[in-house]
Amino acid sequence: KLRVAMRMIVLMLLFVLIPNTAGALDGIAVDPLAERTILSDIITIYDVDGRTLTLGGGDGDKVVQVTASPGNMSPGWFAFALTNVTDEQLIRWLVVENTGSADSGIINPVLIGPRLVSVQSDKGKLQPVLESGRLDIFEIEVDAGQTQSFVVETVGAVPRFIVLWDPRAYGAARHALSFFHGLIIGIVGLLAIFLTSLYVVRHRLMYPAAALIGWAGVVVLATDFGLWQRGFGAGPATSSVVRAIAEVIFVGAVAFLFTTFVEFKARYRYVADGTPVIFGVSCVLVLIAVLWPSVAVSIARLLSVVVAVCGIAAIGYLITMRSARALALVPSWIAFTSFTLLSMLVYSGVLSGAIAHPMYIAALGLVAMVISFTAMQYAFDADVAPDENARELALKAVAFSVSDTILWDWKVKEETITVGRELEGALGVARNSLNGPQQNWLDKVHHLDRDRFVQLANSAVVSDDGLINTEFRLHTSAVGQRWYRLRARSVAREGVDAIRFVGSLEDVTTFKNSRERLLRDAVHDSLTGLPNRALFVDRLTRAVVCMNSQGGNNPSVLVIDVDRFKNVSQGFGHGMGDSMLTVIAQRMSEVMSEADTLARIEADKFAAIVVSDASYNNIEEISRDLRHSLKQPFYVGGHEVFLTGSIGISTFDSQRHDKACDLLREAELAMVHAKTSGGDKTEKFHLDMHPSQFDRLTIESDFKRALERSELELLYQPIVSLNEERIAGFEVLMRWQHPEKGEISPDKFIEIAEEAGLIVELGYYALDAAAQQLSLWRKTFGDVPDLFVSVNVSSRQIFRQDLIRDARLISTSASIPAGAIKLAITESLVMENPELAAYVLERLREMGVGLLLDDFGAGYSALSHLQQFPFDTIKVDKSLVTGGRDNAPAIVKSIVNMAHDLGMKVVAEGVDSPSDVAYLMGIGCDFGQGYHFSPPLHVNTATKYLAEWR
Ligand code: C2E
Ligand code: CA
């Protein structure tokens, strides 16, 4: 310790004695204890043109000439002298950081490679210390007590930060830095890897851009730390090229990230986002970097300033435009701008010293980190779009793409239709065969749906709401078709007309088919589970066909009607009646054999087909058993009830019968005979029972021609608004003008039409004619408010798909307001299959068809049904209105009240006298119909009436 203290004193003395002037080569006393001595301030720099340095030449001095090393085109020179004040040899390393960053210069920088080329002392040239990756450390020795001068040749200008290191201390300092370097390069490297793999998961350009920044950063750091040189043994030239490329890519990637991140393109569709320019410039710079790394780096360093400044301006602008993305980029940009500023100071050497370079690499690491975190935040945040609206749209697009809906786009003026590719696949048609001129599309629409489709689409063009909502069939490549539902909305208008519709197509084939099946399967009576009339007739037809082709037993039909059942069920109530029917059905089923069919063909009317053993004895036996089963007591509400039945039988006879329903009809007739002769009887059909049999058959064949010859006529019976004294609507009633027999009442021919399978055609005829007439009236008397026409629907009609189809066809073809055509349906009809009826009625109502509950109050009616089904009007049966039964007025009154509570209108049928009118007005009934006002009228008379009474 004493020795050290002594040395310090000597040293201080020396400093006093030998003033440290700027004069050349005055020896500088080296503190033997200092780990490092900064030489920057004490060296003498020679500013020489050319490659030779001449020293000395003062008074008496000898002249020393030094020539630059070969290849060093712009050498720099400096000199210094060191004095060893100790009594031991002094060994120091002369070190300049050659990182490519610190003090490398902005314009034409000195990149990787030795900054110090040679060091010459009085004793001759010194050898560099060959520490790997660093070629410009020179070991300096000064003997004890001596002063030694050194002349140093540098590449480019003389570095600003020159240090004399104690070799051991230098090693330790390097070691400490290595840890720091490793940390930074590790973090940046990991981020780069992570961002690269993110792109695999989420294909957004911002991830490769951010990853590129990371990778370029890693390379810059690797050259700065000499890893490149050490790890791959890359020479200075190669390292410089690598470094130059990395710097170019770093700046390019930052610019690229900026444009992709703020989503310029998404925001401003017509503004180029500059990506191609950035890409092009980067490529050119990379090429330059390969040939002239320094030139490329000069440009890159200047460009980074440009990018930072432009970025600040753009972010500022976008934030005022409320871009969330721009706001998110602020931290990254602060980091990048700060880094650019700092690196300029470091490159230019303004910021030098031991701390300058670590600061630079730390800042670089920080930029990479902040940018990565910003980008990553978007990877894990579902928020992928710049604002809420776009986000919702994006979500909707996703939802649309996973649903089975297909895009449909109609440009009205161009007359083109574009549909999603999926449709071509679904229909199996050629590519692009659907797209283009709208005719392509229409060709694919089923011919039965085409006119309706065109009409609907055209009316949507001029409609206010601009909506298309329809179902239609499209032809597939194979034989067949699929049902589609189209829902579209106008997205552009020109004046009042829509010029473009966009919507979705949905395949509803399965739904349609299952509905059809439901309708087709509706052949069972929902109460008893027995086949209904339709299925019964079908089975009977099969039995007849079967017998004709395969021989076997002649089928017999038994019709069983429960005597006075209506009285019984009225006495005990509707529910009891139903459960008695169920029991009856069960008991009778037990009598029948497996091969036979038992059906419920009407409320309390059953029918059986017997094929098992058609011998008369057997049939007699069966009918006896059936009647016997009815006679067993029923226990109803604590009472024992006994029933009887009337049975009619008819056996197939190929001479007389050509159709199955003839057989049923005969059996029914026989049953009526049994019933009228007192009931509780079995009667077999014989020809006497059928006085008009011949008549009926001719009527049936005549009727088939009646439709073709248009012998059917529609009469219109006015329905009058009771408190306004005007015509509110008409009921359409059909008449058959038979050429020979004169007018035939519907009561007679409707049933025939049903059995002859002509009822669907007939129904359509009435519905269509009524619709035409109504729209004609609406045109002529434009201002008749809420004029309606009611059309009767027969029992066979309602449970067929045709009704819905017909109603739709009519409601879309004639322009008729909702509810103006009312289908009149009886309650018993609805109760045959309430579930199916509810479905059918609901569909009809959706289509804007009005629904009228007919004959309410006749038979057993239940007010509770009123709410179950979507009827808008109910018609009180004439039996309750005409003349009035004992308690009828009270019943009608309660029906009216109930209907009004449910928001329905009430029509009273069979209004015969002024007193009926007065009474009905008194209880607030809405409409009246009957001979008091008018009988059914021919269309001309009806029109005249309407003109008068509207
Ligand atoms: P409905 O639905 O009960 O029709 C009312 C019947 O009562 C009509 O007989 C009508 O002429 C008659 N009527 C009108 N006002 C009075 C009155 O003040 N007093 C009395 N006692 N009767 C009056 P119409 O025209 O003979 O029709 C009989 C039935 O035929 C109708 O009964 C209806 O169920 C059926 N029908 C008529 N046209 C069609 C049709 O186009 N299709 C179907 N499926 N059935 C029809
Ligand atoms: Ca009616």
Side-chain angles (χ1 to χ4, degrees):
K1 280 215 172 142
L2 193 71
R3 226 173 111 170
V4 173
M6 284 293 290
R7 264 189 215 160
M8 289 303 288
I9 294 166
V10 173
L11 215 136
M12 280 158 72
L13 275 174
L14 264 170
F15 269 111
V16 178
L17 293 176
I18 312 168
N20 183 13
T21 59
L25 309 184
D26 285 337
I28 306 296
V30 179
D31 174 1
L33 293 181
E35 291 185 340
R36 49 171 217 167
T37 310
I38 294 164
L39 283 186
S40 307
D41 295 336
I42 52 176
I43 55 171
T44 307
I45 297 172
Y46 301 99
D47 203 3
V48 225
D49 292 331
R51 295 172 35 82
T52 309
L53 172 69
T54 311
L55 287 173
D59 352 306
D61 264 7
K62 67 170 186 197
V63 175
V64 181
Q65 277 209 329
V66 201
T67 308
S69 315
N72 187 4
M73 302 322 286
S74 53
W77 303 95
F78 70 92
F80 60 95
L82 295 178
T83 305
N84 183 355
V85 289
T86 66
D87 47 9
E88 288 163 28
Q89 196 189 36
L90 186 79
I91 296 178
R92 285 292 181 270
W93 283 1
L94 182 66
V95 175
V96 168
E97 294 295 334
N98 64 345
T99 57
S101 309
D103 199 21
S104 55
I106 296 171
I107 305 297
N108 210 12
V110 179
L111 294 172
I112 322 297
R115 288 301 292 272
L116 308 180
V117 185
S118 75
V119 180
Q120 236 160 346
S121 76
D122 309 350
K123 292 178 180 164
K125 259 195 169 168
L126 302 185
Q127 284 304 307
V129 178
L130 287 176
E131 200 210 353
S132 47
R134 305 197 49 90
L135 298 168
D136 53 356
I137 295 178
F138 288 85
E139 192 167 270
I140 284 166
E141 290 170 15
V142 186
D143 290 337
Q146 296 288 305
T147 294
Q148 179 104 37
S149 336
F150 303 90
V151 177
V152 183
E153 177 195 347
T154 65
V155 176
V158 173
R160 250 161 271 211
F161 192 61
I162 303 160
V163 188
L164 213 53
W165 276 95
D166 179 331
R168 274 160 309 170
Y170 179 75
R174 293 293 305 173
H175 196 73
L177 265 183
S178 298
F179 175 72
F180 175 61
H181 289 173
L183 191 72
I184 299 278
I185 208 166
I187 291 172
V188 177
L190 277 176
L191 290 174
I193 291 171
F194 187 70
L195 287 166
T196 310
S197 30
L198 255 188
Y199 182 62
V200 179
V201 189
R202 308 203 75 182
H203 292 273
R204 323 207 77 240
L205 279 177
M206 72 163 104
Y207 299 122
L212 218 52
I213 295 173
W215 288 122
V218 167
V219 177
V220 167
L221 292 173
T223 51
D224 263 24
F225 302 158
L227 294 181
W228 213 251
Q229 299 88 316
R230 260 182 274 169
F232 298 97
T238 320
S239 299
S240 303
V241 170
V242 170
R243 161 96 196 199
I245 291 175
E247 272 198 44
V248 164
I249 289 180
F250 185 82
V251 179
V254 169
F256 180 45
L257 175 93
F258 179 84
T259 56
T260 55
F261 192 86
V262 299
E263 293 186 322
F264 254 130
K265 254 217 186 108
R267 198 164 253 276
Y268 307 102
R269 244 195 303 165
Y270 306 105
V271 177
D273 64 4
T275 311
V277 178
I278 293 167
F279 188 71
V281 170
S282 303
C283 285
V284 171
L285 283 181
V286 166
L287 273 181
I288 296 176
V290 173
L291 301 170
W292 307 287
S294 289
V295 176
V297 170
S298 316
I299 299 172
R301 288 180 179 180
L302 291 177
L303 278 181
S304 72
V305 178
V306 175
V307 168
V309 172
C310 292
I312 291 171
I315 288 175
Y317 171 73
L318 288 172
I319 287 176
T320 63
M321 302 311 288
R322 303 229 182 111
S323 159
R325 283 297 186 86
L327 204 59
L329 206 55
V330 167
S332 301
W333 218 255
I334 291 176
F336 175 68
T337 311
S338 315
F339 166 72
T340 309
L341 201 69
L342 180 79
S343 62
M344 288 305 133
L345 296 177
V346 171
Y347 295 149
S348 62
V350 172
L351 200 68
S352 63
I355 202 68
H357 187 243
M359 264 170 79
Y360 168 81
I361 58 171
L364 182 59
L366 195 72
V367 170
M369 266 188 268
V370 177
I371 286 180
S372 310
F373 287 138
T374 308
M376 268 185 248
Q377 173 197 340
Y378 281 84
F380 299 115
D381 188 355
D383 184 357
V384 288
D387 53 46
E388 273 305 307
N389 199 11
R391 175 182 174 180
E392 198 184 311
L393 275 177
L395 291 178
K396 275 187 181 161
V398 172
F400 191 89
S401 71
V402 296
S403 72
D404 288 329
T405 39
I406 299 164
L407 193 72
W408 186 85
D409 182 356
W410 175 33
K411 296 200 180 98
V412 181
K413 268 172 54 190
E414 287 93 329
E415 302 196 341
T416 59
I417 286 177
T418 316
V419 282
R421 283 268 121 79
E422 311 90 296
L423 187 63
E424 292 163 356
L427 298 179
V429 298
R431 249 180 170 238
N432 285 327
S433 63
L434 281 170
N435 291 343
Q438 65 194 28
Q439 197 52 45
N440 290 3
W441 163 265
L442 287 177
D443 287 346
K444 287 281 180 295
V445 177
H446 195 280
H447 65 278
L448 285 177
D449 300 333
R450 202 172 295 148
D451 290 346
R452 188 170 50 86
F453 183 87
V454 170
Q455 219 154 23
L456 228 126
N458 287 340
S459 60
V461 168
V462 293
S463 78
D464 290 337
D465 59 1
L467 291 176
I468 303 178
N469 188 352
T470 179
E471 287 167 11
F472 48 84
R473 285 158 285 184
L474 292 178
H475 288 293
T476 58
S477 63
V479 192
Q481 68 240 355
R482 295 195 74 77
W483 276 97
Y484 282 89
R485 172 181 297 147
L486 171 66
R487 276 177 289 198
R489 171 191 291 280
S490 63
V491 291
R493 279 185 183 273
E494 209 177 78
V496 287
D497 291 359
I499 53 167
R500 186 171 180 183
F501 287 83
V502 173
S504 63
L505 279 172
E506 196 182 346
D507 188 328
V508 291
T509 313
T510 337
F511 175 75
K512 280 273 180 190
N513 286 347
S514 69
R515 277 304 174 194
E516 246 164 50
R517 210 172 304 126
L518 174 65
L519 291 166
R520 216 175 31 239
D521 288 351
V523 290
H524 284 95
D525 166 35
S526 60
L527 178 65
T528 60
L530 293 178
N532 63 12
R533 190 184 186 107
L535 183 58
F536 179 84
V537 172
D538 183 67
R539 292 249 175 106
L540 187 57
T541 312
R542 278 161 203 270
V544 171
V545 169
C546 201
M547 178 210 64
N548 282 339
S549 59
Q550 301 167 11
N553 299 328
N554 280 6
S556 294
V557 170
L558 282 75
V559 170
I560 309 113
D561 194 280
V562 184
D563 297 330
R564 296 179 309 281
F565 184 78
K566 284 204 174 84
N567 297 349
V568 175
S569 82
Q570 249 162 24
F572 289 108
H574 197 64
M576 281 301 174
D578 279 358
S579 44
M580 278 167 81
L581 283 171
T582 320
V583 177
I584 294 168
Q586 207 174 339
R587 288 189 189 171
M588 291 203 292
S589 306
E590 283 161 15
V591 174
M592 310 297 297
S593 85
E594 286 280 300
D596 302 337
T597 298
L598 179 70
R600 184 164 86 118
I601 58 172
E602 256 167 53
D604 52 356
K605 205 193 266 182
F606 294 82
I609 306 167
V610 179
V611 285
S612 48
D613 176 0
S615 73
Y616 184 71
N617 285 342
N618 178 42
I619 287 167
E620 280 281 82
E621 204 176 308
I622 290 175
S623 71
R624 213 172 31 243
D625 289 349
L626 286 173
R627 278 171 43 211
H628 183 72
S629 73
L630 280 175
K631 282 181 181 159
Q632 303 305 305
F634 292 84
Y635 299 96
V636 184
H639 300 273
E640 273 191 352
V641 179
F642 299 91
L643 293 175
T644 57
S646 302
I647 298 182
I649 303 174
S650 172
T651 302
F652 188 80
D653 176 354
S654 50
Q655 303 282 294
R656 273 189 299 130
H657 304 126
D658 55 5
K659 284 240 303 311
C661 52
D662 297 342
L663 201 58
L664 176 62
R665 203 172 171 79
E666 285 182 359
E668 279 188 284
L669 215 66
M671 182 277 290
V672 171
H673 269 259
K675 186 159 272 193
T676 45
S677 54
D680 190 16
K681 254 195 188 159
T682 302
E683 286 273 4
K684 197 167 166 21
F685 176 80
H686 51 88
L687 284 172
D688 300 351
M689 283 179 184
H690 212 323
S692 58
Q693 191 230 9
F694 180 74
D695 224 38
R696 203 190 69 84
L697 287 177
T698 49
I699 284 183
E700 191 176 312
S701 58
D702 283 0
F703 185 75
K704 283 179 192 160
R705 265 161 291 170
L707 272 170
E708 294 153 24
R709 293 188 199 143
S710 55
E711 290 167 8
L712 294 173
E713 190 192 4
L714 296 178
L715 297 188
Y716 296 84
Q717 185 173 29
I719 297 172
V720 176
S721 170
L722 289 173
N723 51 12
E724 286 173 275
E725 292 199 333
R726 63 173 181 91
I727 293 181
F730 292 91
E731 173 169 23
V732 181
L733 295 161
M734 203 175 272
R735 293 290 178 269
W736 179 8
Q737 302 297 344
H738 194 282
E740 293 124 40
K741 299 189 178 77
E743 190 174 285
I744 300 178
S745 144
D747 285 330
K748 291 209 179 85
F749 68 82
I750 293 290
E751 215 182 327
I752 299 173
E754 282 180 355
E755 280 170 12
L758 292 166
I759 194 67
V760 173
E761 209 175 323
L762 192 90
Y764 182 76
Y765 169 75
L767 196 57
D768 187 41
Q772 302 294 339
Q773 190 55 53
L774 179 63
S775 60
L776 189 68
W777 278 334
R778 284 174 48 80
K779 245 177 242 161
T780 326
F781 312 108
D783 54 344
V784 190
D786 307 330
L787 184 72
F788 66 85
V789 171
S790 87
V791 181
N792 292 295
V793 172
S794 109
S795 50
R796 291 299 100 76
Q797 245 175 308
I798 182 166
F799 293 134
R800 304 202 38 164
Q801 181 77 62
D802 313 77
L803 183 62
I804 297 181
R805 191 202 60 202
D806 292 350
R808 179 183 290 128
L809 237 103
I810 282 156
S811 64
T812 51
S813 66
S815 59
I816 288 166
I821 288 202
K822 297 192 193 297
L823 295 182
I825 296 156
T826 62
E827 190 187 17
S828 57
L829 204 57
V830 165
M831 290 320 291
E832 260 182 41
N833 188 339
E835 290 84 18
L836 186 60
Y839 168 72
V840 172
L841 295 180
E842 197 53 52
R843 293 291 88 72
L844 289 169
R845 192 192 59 84
E846 277 170 13
M847 285 187 292
V849 174
L851 297 170
L852 182 146
L853 182 60
D854 211 352
D855 299 346
F856 193 79
Y860 44 112
S861 296
L863 286 169
S864 63
H865 293 161
L866 288 180
Q867 328 159 245
Q868 255 176 354
F869 305 101
F871 288 105
D872 52 64
T873 311
I874 76 171
K875 192 181 238 184
V876 183
D877 191 66
K878 48 181 168 281
S879 64
L880 284 176
V881 176
T882 316
R885 291 195 312 223
D886 307 342
N887 53 356
I891 298 174
V892 177
K893 191 175 177 192
S894 66
I895 293 175
V896 170
N897 288 341
M898 176 96 171
H900 284 174
D901 283 348
L902 295 168
M904 301 176 183
K905 299 270 187 208
V906 183
V907 183
E909 190 183 48
V911 181
D912 260 355
S913 63
S915 62
D916 289 344
V917 179
Y919 170 69
L920 291 168
M921 282 180 75
I923 59 168
C925 182
D926 306 273
F927 307 114
Q929 172 188 0
Y931 297 152
H932 169 72
F933 298 113
S934 162
L937 304 170
H938 289 277
V939 71
N940 294 337
T941 329
T943 309
K944 246 180 249 158
Y945 255 70
L946 186 60
E948 245 172 84
W949 287 92
R950 65 199 153 99

